[in-house]
Amino acid sequence: MKKFFALFVAVAFALSLTVMAVAAEEKKAAPAPAPAKAEPVKKEAAKKAKPKVVTGTIEALDAAAGTFSVKGKKETVQLKAGEKVKLGDFKVGDKVTATYSEGTASKVVAAKKAAAPMEKKAAPAPAAPAAPAPKK
């Protein structure tokens, strides 16, 4: 009985080694995942690039070509007007805020002017004393 059990264990062990060796060869022979699946993810990431905002003065403007440049505090940005952007409302020297991504402006609006400093308001004049009630 002990010999039979030892033989059974030896055969099981040899069979398990064979199965593992075949599985390892199949894993090596399996083709790598197609890179085509990875590309759409990259394209989607490129489409979803975070928009940037620049506030500055329009340095150059070609409404017919749909191009303009905005000089901000740190840099000058060359932009192409997007589908919804109308450059006809602007001229060189205007202060604008442009939202853009990958060189295409999606929104251009006139820059908000700095709020005028609050003037000190004079204290309201005291109310005139009430007229005395007529005596009866």
Side-chain angles (χ1 to χ4, degrees):
M1 185 75 160
K2 287 183 181 180
K3 288 183 180 181
F4 177 72
F5 183 69
L7 182 63
F8 177 75
V9 170
V11 170
F13 181 71
L15 185 60
S16 67
L17 288 176
T18 306
V19 169
M20 290 176 59
V22 170
E25 286 181 26
E26 287 180 4
K27 187 175 181 181
K28 287 181 183 177
K37 290 182 180 179
E39 287 180 23
V41 174
K42 290 180 182 178
K43 288 181 182 177
E44 288 177 13
K47 288 181 184 177
K48 294 182 181 180
K50 291 185 179 181
K52 298 178 183 178
V53 178
V54 63
T55 300
T57 306
I58 294 179
E59 292 286 306
L61 176 68
D62 186 355
T67 60
F68 63 105
S69 64
V70 178
K71 182 178 181 184
K73 289 182 180 178
K74 296 181 181 180
E75 63 184 342
T76 299
V77 183
Q78 303 288 332
L79 299 172
K80 181 177 180 182
E83 295 173 9
K84 297 178 182 179
V85 176
K86 296 180 183 177
L87 294 177
D89 299 338
F90 301 103
K91 62 184 186 296
V92 174
D94 285 349
K95 295 197 182 286
V96 296
T97 299
T99 304
Y100 67 97
S101 178
E102 298 178 4
T104 302
S106 59
K107 183 177 179 183
V108 179
V109 295
K112 294 179 181 177
K113 294 182 180 178
M118 297 287 290
E119 294 180 17
K120 291 185 179 180
K121 293 184 179 179
K135 293 184 181 179
K136 292 186 178 182

